[in-house]
Amino acid sequence: MKIHSLITVVMLVISLAVFAGCTQETQNRIGRSIQNWTGVDGILEIYSGGNVIKRFIKIDKLSTAAGTKERVQRPYRFGYGVLDANLNGKADPGEKKVYFEFSDYSTNYVFFEDPETK
């Protein structure tokens, strides 16, 4: 085995050991940072009575709010996306990127990656 290959294998084993030793939250943060770096073309659908009532498309990421002093997560999420006003799944002329928030407690929602971009 060449020295270069051996060094690569050793570095991979060390990286895996460090990652496995992280808490679940740390692993999630690492995963989100990788996902944020690569980008996500997400869709957020808000439901009421079993029907989609709002849809946001072209979302890079959803974030969980956190208190500035307490560092405690707040019960809502936020992000930026195009408001799909006519619910056709496309960013039409006149539909603009907006900021949005929704509650973890009372909002029925689904967030998923746009299958059309894969």
Side-chain angles (χ1 to χ4, degrees), residues 48 75 78 82 93 98 101 115:
S48 178
F78 63 92
V82 175
V98 297
E101 296 178 359

Side-chain angles (χ1 to χ4, degrees), residues 45-55 87 108:
E45 294 180 338
I46 308 292
Y47 292 86
S48 178
N51 297 314
V52 176
I53 59 167
K54 289 273 189 209
R55 180 181 291 136
L87 301 175
N108 293 320

Side-chain angles (χ1 to χ4, degrees), residues 44 46 56 65 76-79 99-103 107:
L44 173 69
I46 308 292
F56 298 92
Y76 69 93
R77 299 189 190 281
F78 63 92
Y99 172 83
F100 59 85
E101 296 178 359
F102 59 96
S103 169
T107 306

Side-chain angles (χ1 to χ4, degrees), residues 31-105:
R32 283 192 301 269
S33 68
I34 292 169
Q35 189 177 41
N36 291 341
W37 178 56
T38 59
V40 171
D41 191 10
I43 298 173
L44 173 69
E45 294 180 338
I46 308 292
Y47 292 86
S48 178
N51 297 314
V52 176
I53 59 167
K54 289 273 189 209
R55 180 181 291 136
F56 298 92
I57 58 177
K58 300 187 179 291
I59 300 169
D60 293 332
K61 68 175 182 169
L62 290 181
S63 298
T64 301
T68 53
K69 292 183 182 178
E70 308 89 23
R71 298 281 184 210
V72 176
Q73 289 188 349
R74 302 290 172 91
Y76 69 93
R77 299 189 190 281
F78 63 92
Y80 291 90
V82 175
L83 175 60
D84 184 13
N86 59 8
L87 301 175
N88 69 351
K90 298 177 184 174
D92 296 317
E95 294 179 339
K96 297 183 179 182
K97 194 168 213 172
V98 297
Y99 172 83
F100 59 85
E101 296 178 359
F102 59 96
S103 169
D104 283 349
Y105 295 140

Side-chain angles (χ1 to χ4, degrees), residues 14-42:
I14 290 171
S15 297
L16 289 173
V18 168
F19 186 72
C22 295
T23 65
Q24 184 67 40
E25 178 59 26
T26 303
Q27 290 176 14
N28 289 344
R29 286 182 186 193
I30 292 169
R32 283 192 301 269
S33 68
I34 292 169
Q35 189 177 41
N36 291 341
W37 178 56
T38 59
V40 171
D41 191 10

